[in-house]
Every structure is written in C-alpha cells, then in structure tokens.
Amino acid sequence: LGQLQCLDISKYREAFMNIGYTTGVFDLFHIGHVNLLRNAKALCDKLIVGVTVDELVSYKGKQSVIPFHERIQVVRACKYVDVAIPQQSIDKVEAVRKLNASFLFVGDDWYNNDRWQSMETELKKLRCNVIYFPYTTGTSSTLINQTLIDLRSKDAPSGQS
C-alpha cells in the first residue's frame, strides 16, 4: 500500500476565509464604534478596518479631534479588529478588490442611498455582500465633540470661549 500523505491546509486557509472590511474615522472612539466592530467580527473570520487618514477627513470639510496616528492605534487595540490599515481613498470597490473581502460592513444610515445601491451592484460582481448594521443612536463622535465644546464654553470665564 502507498503511504498516506497529510495535506498541509494552512496555506489554503486564507483562500477560504471570509474577510470582512469596514471603514471609519473612529474619532473619539465610542460605543457605536464598538458595536460596529463587534457585530462585523461576528460575521467574518478576519476583520480588516480602514481608518480614515486626516487628509481624507478634511475633504469633507471636517477635522478629527484625534490625529490619525493615534486613531489607528486605538482601533488596532480593539479585540475585534484583526488588521487596521489607513483608508486613503473613499473608493470602497477598489479596497474590496485589493483585500479580497467577502463582506463590507456599514451603518444602516447608508441603506437605500442611491450611491450605495450603485456601489452594492459593483460589489456583488466581486462577490462581496454589503451588510448594514443599525446605527447607534444617541452617540456619535460629532455629538461628543459638540458636547465637549458646549461644556468648555460654559466653564470659560465670561468673554472667553
């Protein structure tokens, strides 16, 4: 009888992994971010998170409170995240193509948006499904930042803010 050979499947593991991808600014990290990352990780083997670089945040006329190099470290420290990478472009289709992602996770505030419906069609061609998670109401980095600004202006001596 011939010898039985053991097949080393470790090199094939990545080919069969479900890779998930999501992006965000992740400024003033809060429970909404944790919910997104926890829910995303539950649906994939490997979760890759694109953290938006400062230059991309500013194109929207916004500015993060926490600089990129700190935000990406915070995201990398989250136990649900396997890999955190810089998000240099808003082109999700190209990112999914490069990462070979099976899933793209986004908040449901984008659901039924014309741009996202078009993107979903393109992503299906790449065998990537868009999964919409409920947006965490009552908290956001914008709301936290505005609350801090309001609190500081109340505490400032009159004539200063």
Side-chain angles (χ1 to χ4, degrees):
L1 292 179
Q3 287 184 325
L4 291 176
Q5 291 184 331
C6 286
L7 179 62
D8 180 11
I9 63 168
S10 62
K11 60 185 170 187
Y12 301 103
R13 179 175 161 78
E14 189 133 336
F16 297 104
M17 285 182 113
N18 283 322
I19 297 173
Y21 180 61
T22 192
T23 65
V25 177
F26 299 100
D27 198 20
L28 302 173
F29 200 84
H30 56 75
I31 191 64
H33 296 135
V34 174
N35 290 340
L36 169 68
L37 299 173
R38 181 182 52 241
N39 292 335
K41 180 60 181 171
L43 296 177
C44 63
D45 299 312
K46 183 176 188 176
L47 179 60
I48 301 173
V49 179
V51 179
T52 310
V53 297
D54 293 332
E55 297 78 15
L56 197 56
V57 174
S58 65
Y59 103 92
K60 296 179 178 179
K62 295 185 176 187
Q63 182 178 356
S64 61
V65 174
I66 310 295
F68 168 76
H69 69 277
E70 292 180 19
R71 291 183 285 112
I72 197 165
Q73 291 303 320
V74 170
V75 172
R76 284 181 176 148
C78 181
K79 71 179 186 177
Y80 305 113
V81 176
D82 294 299
V83 180
I85 60 174
Q87 180 198 8
Q88 306 273 4
S89 165
I90 61 169
D91 189 345
K92 305 282 193 281
V93 174
E94 185 56 30
V96 163
R97 182 179 291 114
K98 283 181 183 176
L99 299 170
N100 196 28
S102 306
F103 301 104
L104 176 65
F105 303 109
V106 297
D108 66 358
D109 48 329
W110 293 106
Y111 187 71
N112 276 339
N113 172 300
D114 290 340
R115 181 173 156 252
W116 274 93
Q117 286 182 331
S118 170
M119 193 178 314
E120 238 182 291
T121 302
E122 290 302 309
L123 290 168
K124 282 188 191 283
K125 294 175 187 173
L126 297 174
R127 297 180 140 165
C128 178
N129 295 303
V130 178
I131 307 294
Y132 296 92
F133 289 130
Y135 187 81
T136 303
T137 56
T139 189
S140 71
S141 296
T142 302
L143 180 61
I144 292 168
N145 192 35
Q146 188 58 55
T147 301
L148 290 171
I149 290 168
D150 293 347
L151 286 171
R152 288 180 183 132
S153 68
K154 285 181 190 175
D155 291 341
S158 61
Q160 297 178 7
S161 50

